[in-house]
Amino acid sequence: TASLIPFSIVLHLIAIGCLGSLCLGMMARVSLGHTGRPLTITPLTTLAFVFIQLSVFARLSGAFWPAHYGQTIAVSGVMWIMAFLLYGITYTPILFSPRADGRQG
């Protein structure tokens, strides 16, 4: 049977959306927990998750807009990179500073 979206694109959507969100979420949670900080999310972290989801929609648009396939892939990639760049901006200072609770580690 013919499908609206090729399987390779569906697989890629799952990878960039689900796995990207999972990795970002776990990295954020572990970074806070292992540094003795409360498990609260910042606006930049929220924006990072938004960028991941927007990258999925940009990638999906390439399936329906084949004349601009390369551009939609590029936009999707930039948004995905922006998500992890925001993580780095937010969590690098946390990871390089002492634990907030004063414990060893």
Side-chain angles (χ1 to χ4, degrees):
T1 65
S3 69
L4 189 58
I5 303 170
F7 179 73
S8 62
I9 293 177
V10 171
L11 192 59
H12 198 209
L13 292 172
I14 291 169
I16 64 175
C18 296
L19 293 177
S21 295
L22 176 71
C23 289
L24 187 63
M26 287 303 299
M27 289 165 44
R29 191 264 179 251
V30 168
S31 296
L32 294 172
H34 285 239
T35 59
R37 287 169 173 74
L39 303 179
T40 57
I41 194 165
T42 67
L44 283 181
T45 305
T46 302
L47 184 58
F49 281 102
V50 169
F51 273 125
I52 290 284
Q53 301 314 310
L54 289 175
S55 82
V56 171
F57 287 111
R59 176 66 179 92
L60 179 60
S61 70
F64 298 105
W65 201 10
H68 299 283
Y69 186 76
Q71 292 93 332
T72 60
I73 295 293
V75 168
S76 176
V78 166
M79 285 191 239
W80 204 84
I81 290 167
M82 287 298 299
F84 285 92
L85 183 63
L86 287 174
Y87 167 83
I89 290 168
T90 303
Y91 289 92
T92 297
I94 290 170
L95 293 169
F96 280 97
S97 63
R99 284 182 60 103
D101 59 8
R103 293 176 37 195
Q104 288 283 6

